[in-house]
PDB file of all heavy atoms in Angstrom:
ATOM      1  N   PRO A   5     166.215  40.758 108.031  1.00  0.00           N
ATOM      2  CA  PRO A   5     164.763  40.706 108.265  1.00  0.00           C
ATOM      3  C   PRO A   5     163.975  40.094 107.099  1.00  0.00           C
ATOM      4  O   PRO A   5     164.455  40.258 105.935  1.00  0.00           O
ATOM      5  CB  PRO A   5     164.324  42.147 108.546  1.00  0.00           C
ATOM      6  CG  PRO A   5     165.471  42.998 108.035  1.00  0.00           C
ATOM      7  CD  PRO A   5     166.692  42.141 108.029  1.00  0.00           C
ATOM      8  N   LYS A  68     157.376  25.243 119.499  1.00  0.00           N
ATOM      9  CA  LYS A  68     157.255  23.819 118.972  1.00  0.00           C
ATOM     10  C   LYS A  68     158.294  23.515 117.888  1.00  0.00           C
ATOM     11  O   LYS A  68     158.884  22.382 118.029  1.00  0.00           O
ATOM     12  CB  LYS A  68     155.861  23.670 118.408  1.00  0.00           C
ATOM     13  CG  LYS A  68     154.728  23.696 119.440  1.00  0.00           C
ATOM     14  CD  LYS A  68     154.270  22.288 119.761  1.00  0.00           C
ATOM     15  CE  LYS A  68     153.508  22.205 121.121  1.00  0.00           C
ATOM     16  NZ  LYS A  68     152.314  23.114 121.218  1.00  0.00           N
ATOM     17  N   ALA A 108     160.141  30.169 111.883  1.00  0.00           N
ATOM     18  CA  ALA A 108     160.955  29.467 112.814  1.00  0.00           C
ATOM     19  C   ALA A 108     161.989  28.602 112.069  1.00  0.00           C
ATOM     20  O   ALA A 108     163.126  28.570 112.443  1.00  0.00           O
ATOM     21  CB  ALA A 108     160.092  28.668 113.807  1.00  0.00           C
ATOM     22  N   LEU A 190     124.408   5.923 104.890  1.00  0.00           N
ATOM     23  CA  LEU A 190     125.344   5.541 103.751  1.00  0.00           C
ATOM     24  C   LEU A 190     125.077   6.343 102.470  1.00  0.00           C
ATOM     25  O   LEU A 190     125.956   6.775 101.800  1.00  0.00           O
ATOM     26  CB  LEU A 190     125.218   3.983 103.538  1.00  0.00           C
ATOM     27  CG  LEU A 190     126.180   3.510 102.471  1.00  0.00           C
ATOM     28  CD1 LEU A 190     127.678   3.613 102.929  1.00  0.00           C
ATOM     29  CD2 LEU A 190     125.839   2.027 102.140  1.00  0.00           C
ATOM     30  N   PRO A 226     123.850  20.739 106.330  1.00  0.00           N
ATOM     31  CA  PRO A 226     122.484  20.560 106.803  1.00  0.00           C
ATOM     32  C   PRO A 226     122.351  20.832 108.291  1.00  0.00           C
ATOM     33  O   PRO A 226     121.373  21.256 108.797  1.00  0.00           O
ATOM     34  CB  PRO A 226     122.031  19.220 106.392  1.00  0.00           C
ATOM     35  CG  PRO A 226     122.883  18.850 105.275  1.00  0.00           C
ATOM     36  CD  PRO A 226     124.226  19.480 105.574  1.00  0.00           C
ATOM     37  N   PRO A 257     131.346  31.336 109.627  1.00  0.00           N
ATOM     38  CA  PRO A 257     130.011  31.587 109.025  1.00  0.00           C
ATOM     39  C   PRO A 257     130.137  32.206 107.605  1.00  0.00           C
ATOM     40  O   PRO A 257     129.129  32.420 106.992  1.00  0.00           O
ATOM     41  CB  PRO A 257     129.415  32.733 109.941  1.00  0.00           C
ATOM     42  CG  PRO A 257     130.587  33.451 110.463  1.00  0.00           C
ATOM     43  CD  PRO A 257     131.744  32.410 110.617  1.00  0.00           C
ATOM     44  N   GLU A 281     117.915  38.452 105.240  1.00  0.00           N
ATOM     45  CA  GLU A 281     117.666  37.235 106.040  1.00  0.00           C
ATOM     46  C   GLU A 281     118.759  36.929 107.050  1.00  0.00           C
ATOM     47  O   GLU A 281     118.528  36.013 107.900  1.00  0.00           O
ATOM     48  CB  GLU A 281     117.571  36.025 105.081  1.00  0.00           C
ATOM     49  CG  GLU A 281     116.676  36.244 103.900  1.00  0.00           C
ATOM     50  CD  GLU A 281     115.270  35.752 104.264  1.00  0.00           C
ATOM     51  OE1 GLU A 281     115.140  34.992 105.114  1.00  0.00           O
ATOM     52  OE2 GLU A 281     114.399  36.173 103.392  1.00  0.00           O
ATOM     53  N   ALA A 298     152.414  29.647 100.778  1.00  0.00           N
ATOM     54  CA  ALA A 298     153.281  30.521 101.680  1.00  0.00           C
ATOM     55  C   ALA A 298     154.610  30.883 100.925  1.00  0.00           C
ATOM     56  O   ALA A 298     155.206  30.042 100.369  1.00  0.00           O
ATOM     57  CB  ALA A 298     153.533  29.794 102.984  1.00  0.00           C
TER      58      ALA A 298
END
Side-chain angles (χ1 to χ4, degrees):
K68 291 260 160 55
L190 182 64
E281 310 269 342

